[in-house]
């Protein structure tokens, strides 16, 4: 798949935030709130939905804000198509990146909060 830059990521509509979206202190919750405030469709896996397969409708972007081993497990079990993965700071591992490369899954290391600041002020 084609590499997607952060600017292109922010042009997508349907996002899945993977992580602890229920604890307001956590980055996942801050990202969820900010994305919703900017009018994006956001569904959440980790604390709200158990699996990416539980997400309704189409997925454009999977945003990983979760330990790399959990993120990898959720991606491995994902049967739904999506366009690209955003790996938040601290959510990456060599194993995760290797999996994405092996399966030709487009990904970027980035932060949606930075994306909002830069492209959706």
């Amino acid at each position: 798949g084609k590499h997607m830059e952060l600017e292109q990521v922010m042009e997508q509509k349907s996002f899945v935030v993977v992580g602890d979206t229920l604890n307001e202190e956590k980055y996942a919750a801050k990202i969820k709130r900010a994305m919703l405030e900017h009018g994006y469709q956001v569904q959440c896996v980790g604390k709200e939905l158990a699996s990416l397969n539980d997400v309704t409708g189409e997925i454009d972007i999977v945003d990983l804000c979760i330990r790399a081993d959990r993120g990898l497990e959720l991606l491995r079990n994902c049967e739904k198509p999506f366009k690209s993965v955003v790996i938040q700071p601290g959510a990456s591992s060599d194993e995760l990146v290797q999996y994405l490369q092996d399966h030709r899954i487009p990904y970027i290391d980035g932060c949606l909060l930075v994306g909002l600041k830069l492209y959706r002020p």
Side-chain angles (χ1 to χ4, degrees):
K2 192 169 66 64
H3 188 67
M4 203 182 268
E5 297 300 328
L6 187 57
E7 186 172 7
Q8 292 170 285
V9 166
M10 303 315 294
E11 290 166 3
Q12 307 302 310
K13 299 275 181 288
S14 170
F15 286 73
V16 177
V17 177
V18 181
D20 185 351
T21 46
L22 298 178
N23 178 347
E24 288 302 319
E25 301 298 303
K26 300 281 188 171
Y27 262 103
K30 292 175 182 168
I31 290 165
K32 172 192 176 181
R33 190 169 63 240
M35 295 295 286
L36 287 170
E37 282 168 2
H38 282 79
Y40 291 94
Q41 296 167 22
V42 182
Q43 296 180 72
C44 303
V45 170
K47 295 287 186 191
E48 297 183 50
L49 298 170
S51 154
L52 288 161
N53 300 318
D54 295 335
V55 171
T56 52
E58 291 186 10
I59 303 173
D60 291 327
I61 305 293
V62 175
D63 185 50
L64 297 177
C65 316
I66 198 166
R67 281 200 341 255
D69 58 334
R70 281 287 291 130
L72 180 55
E73 182 188 355
L74 287 161
L75 286 174
R76 277 201 174 117
N77 293 325
C78 181
E79 291 159 19
K80 290 181 72 91
F82 53 84
K83 293 179 185 172
S84 187
V85 172
V86 175
I87 307 172
Q88 293 282 149
S92 192
S93 70
D94 293 345
E95 196 184 2
L96 174 63
V97 168
Q98 190 65 56
Y99 175 83
L100 294 169
Q101 289 174 345
D102 289 348
H103 291 80
R104 294 187 170 73
I105 298 169
Y107 70 94
I108 62 167
D109 290 291
C111 176
L112 296 186
L113 294 175
V114 173
L116 288 173
K117 277 200 190 74
L118 290 175
Y119 306 113
R120 292 284 184 272

